[in-house]
Amino acid sequence: MTIEETTEAPAAVVPGTTGPGSGRAFDVERVLAALTLEEKASLLSGLDFWTTQPVDRDGVAVPGVMVTDGPHGLRKQAESPDHLGLGTSVPATCFPPAATLGSTWDPALLRRVGEALGRETRANDVAVLLGPGINIKRSPLNGRNFEYLSEDPVISGELGAALVAGIQSQGVGTSLKHFAANNQEADRMRVSADVDERTLREIYLPGFERVVKKAQPWTVMCSYNKINDVYASQNHWLLTEVLRDEWGFEGLVVSDWGAVRDRVAAVAAGLDLEMPASGGRTDAEVVAAVRAGTLDEAVVDVAARRVLHLVARSLPALDAAAASGEGFDVDAHHALAREAAAAGTVLLKNDAVPAGSSGDGAPLLPLASADGVAVVGELARTPRYQGAGSSQVNPTRLDDALSALRAATGAEVPFAAGYTVDGADAGSGTDAAALLAEAVEVARAAGTVLVFLGLPASYESEGFDRAHMDLPAEQVALLEAVAAVNPRVVVVLANGSAVSVASWRHLAPAVVEGWLGGQAGGSAVADVLLGAVNPAGRLAETIPLRLEDNPSYGNFPGELGHVRYGEGLLVGYRWYDARQADVAYPFGHGLSYTTFAYDGVAAEVLRPDATAADDDAAHGAAVRVRVTVTNTGDRPGAEVVQVYVGDPAAQVQRPERELKAFGKVDLAPGESRELTLDLTGRDLAYWHPVLRRWVVEDGEFVVSVGASSRDLRGSATVVVDGEDVRLPLEPLSTVAEAMDHPVVGPHVQALVHGGGVADDMLGMIGDMPLTVVADFGMGGFDRDALTALLAEANN
């Protein structure tokens, strides 16, 4: 069906006004004042699995509103909710999951996807779509990685903000999740993520902060896990001090389903809405705590007010949609899903095949035609297109790659299943050996063979983590057998998280990472293989050579209720780049059917005093980066320009380089364009673990521009007038720290050298606290001298 619609957001309800549709707008403050304590407490938990509690009595009418899963498509249960909320859902567009969307590096595209999600949400009388998920991909083994965008907080934040803005432009809300440090499925409802504050602030929180400040999601969903032994659902520091007081979050905090352990503590911490329903048990606990004087009723009022505001702002769009009977354009949304899937497809490898019996000296892709092409692999016919668990969408239709290739070329492309996947029927009574033999014969007769490989749903899902990074053994065996009879092999992958490629990629001149493509993924990958779409996807996560190379290895998924984030800041590419470790494919990598040249990389300081890291909106850009990109090939294409920043002389350990900005540019053959990307003071800052705030140090920063974290095309050095963040001297400061002090350093150096300290003793003496040296009376330096020295240094 097709419905004419506007993309402008319906007006939100303002307390005291009358909204469109059925006129259910209400004055939040008037309603709140009229509610009893029991009624206010009832608003703080669900009516059932998906609906908020209504209040309906003389003089008071608060409707319940429905929330439901995303994040990459609407999953509204068609009948009454089952106890896990996983029953059959209404047909909806299954857009590509976040693993694919993250690889687009395209906020404008994700904004459009968000708008489509918002239209479907509104048309189905749903107030809040539960997504997007922006948790960091700490380990490739996380079973839910397909729901997350990247291993980097800048990509997660920028793309997450675009999705939120798009969805909410349609007058419905989002739920940014899972807040915070939810980076595994193993023991996810109990485990304590033990992580230092600097790592939280620089890696695991900034994506959420960026989305909150740029897009103000209507709700934020707390995670199941503990953070440093405190459950996220009752973590006042997280939900109130950071989220609201520091970041200015204006919406409602909702629990993940079943995440609340102590409802009274959670209300006090800033958890407004518990989902799903508790049968009134936790409502009674809140009332009892107020009656006993252990919970201030004003705190309950704050949470109830936020629930009322959520309901009030939902009504205009829902009422207008119900009054008009609007739906959504199924065909247009399918086409957008196809565009998004193609945009997130990453061409990992496309080597030239040497001229001779098997090649003409050109890369295998794009395919010139279907002549001589054969397809092997059940996943080409039975697509794996989304993840398993609560995000499973009932698609409006489903494309498979085999049918799409045949339709696009008009040829009856030969096919052999080669293997079975999770219940796929490759033919009654056909055993594995026969499937393999059939595939080998099809490949032997082909000019080029497309081998579709990937992870079955049983390998990655919400609720459990992966055991390894490998493809199923029977699939690798198939590839080996096919490559033995035909060297012209293209591997097409379907997976929600990184898979090991090092052991088999030498068998295929071309490798295409299709991720999970959503309902139109089959047509999208055909578009890329045939060259109708020039691949422009880039990896938003590193593909390591081995699982053992991953920074979380040995600290994932933890033990005895704790997982130690021992790698600290060095997550993903930060780890590999710091160690100059070989990887299969680096963060940001992706090939094209054309080529791009970079020229004129330059950076200039616009605001020399870049110390205002917490208030960049008021102070503007600190550094402006410029680069000219030219399409040097013969096809139109898009390049993703990546800006990395390094701080080589920082007082604390910082990553070798960190992504701080990116831009995607479409270029015709021979076309050049200059890109300008701005960095703020915050982009130069780190979280000081002692001062407990963002700081920008004085000195040089290296700004690098490139096509991946390993493919840097140019760099520039800028000098920023930041802070002198040396800490005050104290009795336990070391002699070396005092020797480096700008005021008293010369005096301490003279004291040490005048005291007869030999050069070979400087290392030991330099590490001694000043108070120990004073107690030794070295060179006449005693406690009185120490007091005078500290006074001189710190005044």
Side-chain angles (χ1 to χ4, degrees), residues 233-246:
S233 61
Q234 57 200 59
N235 193 316
H236 187 274
W237 174 80
L238 183 72
L239 302 184
T240 296
E241 296 172 43
V242 173
L243 180 62
R244 295 191 184 280
D245 297 345
E246 292 185 24

Side-chain angles (χ1 to χ4, degrees), residues 39 42-43 45-47 51-56 61-65:
E39 288 169 337
S42 75
L43 292 174
S45 65
L47 173 67
T51 309
T52 64
Q53 282 274 9
V55 176
D56 188 8
V62 179
V65 295

Side-chain angles (χ1 to χ4, degrees), residues 18-327:
T18 301
S22 63
R24 291 186 294 168
F26 56 86
D27 185 320
V28 167
E29 295 303 321
R30 183 189 63 80
V31 170
L32 181 64
L35 294 175
T36 66
L37 173 61
E38 288 74 12
E39 288 169 337
K40 288 184 287 191
S42 75
L43 292 174
L44 307 189
S45 65
L47 173 67
D48 53 30
F49 215 89
W50 301 117
T51 309
T52 64
Q53 282 274 9
V55 176
D56 188 8
R57 62 172 172 82
D58 291 344
V60 178
V62 179
V65 295
M66 188 175 193
V67 304
T68 198
D69 285 321
H72 59 272
L74 186 77
R75 197 181 69 80
K76 178 184 178 181
Q77 286 188 261
E79 300 172 358
S80 59
D82 60 271
H83 72 288
L84 286 178
L86 295 176
T88 303
S89 58
V90 301
T93 307
C94 180
F95 287 94
T100 311
L101 295 178
S103 293
T104 69
W105 292 59
D106 192 339
L109 175 60
L110 267 67
R111 165 79 188 219
R112 290 164 52 212
V113 170
E115 289 169 356
L117 289 168
R119 287 191 288 271
E120 296 195 23
T121 301
R122 188 178 72 212
N124 279 279
D125 196 33
V126 172
V128 176
L129 187 69
L130 300 176
I134 65 165
N135 293 102
I136 295 297
K137 298 184 182 188
R138 176 176 178 245
S139 167
L141 297 185
N142 184 358
R144 210 170 180 178
N145 271 353
F146 59 84
E147 278 194 50
Y148 302 137
L149 292 161
S150 178
E151 68 186 28
D152 183 84
V154 171
I155 296 180
S156 299
E158 286 297 309
L159 298 186
L163 279 168
V164 168
I167 294 168
Q168 295 188 170
S169 73
Q170 304 304 306
V172 295
T174 58
S175 197
L176 186 66
K177 62 183 188 180
H178 306 87
F179 190 58
N182 179 191
N183 307 105
Q184 64 189 66
E185 292 298 284
D187 202 21
R188 62 175 174 161
M189 294 188 176
R190 301 182 307 172
V191 72
S192 174
D194 296 340
V195 52
D196 66 273
E197 185 178 11
R198 185 176 170 212
T199 298
L200 278 172
R201 294 283 191 168
E202 294 192 29
I203 301 293
Y204 297 102
L205 297 185
F208 289 95
E209 179 182 5
R210 193 174 291 244
V211 178
V212 166
K213 289 183 173 180
K214 294 188 74 165
Q216 277 293 339
W218 287 14
T219 77
V220 167
M221 182 188 294
C222 82
S223 56
Y224 286 120
N225 53 284
K226 301 172 188 172
I227 300 171
N228 297 323
D229 260 341
V230 180
Y231 279 108
S233 61
Q234 57 200 59
N235 193 316
H236 187 274
W237 174 80
L238 183 72
L239 302 184
T240 296
E241 296 172 43
V242 173
L243 180 62
R244 295 191 184 280
D245 297 345
E246 292 185 24
W247 299 350
F249 176 60
E250 299 169 356
L252 171 147
V253 177
V254 60
S255 73
D256 202 343
W257 270 231
V260 176
R261 296 292 167 266
D262 182 330
R263 186 63 185 113
V264 174
V267 173
L271 191 286
D272 305 303
L273 176 62
E274 176 189 16
M275 290 296 286
S278 69
R281 175 183 56 83
T282 57
D283 305 345
E285 291 172 358
V286 171
V287 171
V290 173
R291 300 285 189 221
T294 56
L295 180 65
D296 192 335
E297 186 170 354
V299 176
V300 177
D301 288 348
V302 168
R305 180 181 290 109
R306 291 172 182 154
V307 175
L308 291 172
H309 273 294
L310 175 68
V311 173
R313 75 193 307 187
S314 304
L315 298 181
L318 299 182
D319 289 347
S324 67
E326 71 174 343

Side-chain angles (χ1 to χ4, degrees), residues 533-623:
V533 171
N534 192 345
R538 302 292 184 265
L539 291 178
E541 58 189 285
T542 306
I543 301 179
L545 289 172
R546 309 178 308 152
L547 173 64
E548 291 83 356
D549 296 334
N550 182 263
S552 70
Y553 188 78
N555 285 317
F556 181 97
E559 55 198 8
L560 303 177
H562 289 265
V563 54
R564 187 174 70 91
Y565 285 45
E567 67 280 5
L569 302 172
L570 300 182
V571 175
Y573 70 90
R574 291 166 169 81
W575 172 273
Y576 301 108
D577 290 352
R579 283 158 178 73
Q580 299 182 12
D582 289 338
V583 298
Y585 296 105
F587 175 83
H589 170 76
L591 303 177
S592 171
Y593 296 150
T594 187
T595 54
F596 300 94
Y598 290 58
D599 188 43
V601 173
E604 61 175 322
V605 176
L606 300 182
R607 178 164 54 87
D609 180 4
T611 59
D614 286 317
D615 192 20
D616 288 315
H619 292 82
V623 175

Side-chain angles (χ1 to χ4, degrees), residues 403-455:
S403 298
L405 285 165
R406 288 171 171 171
T409 62
E412 188 60 27
V413 177
F415 169 75
Y419 55 83
T420 60
V421 289
D422 282 358
D425 183 7
S428 177
T430 304
D431 62 21
L435 288 173
L436 179 61
E438 178 193 17
V440 168
E441 291 311 307
V442 168
R444 192 193 308 274
T448 300
V449 58
L450 309 178
V451 182
F452 284 74
L453 308 176
L455 298 180

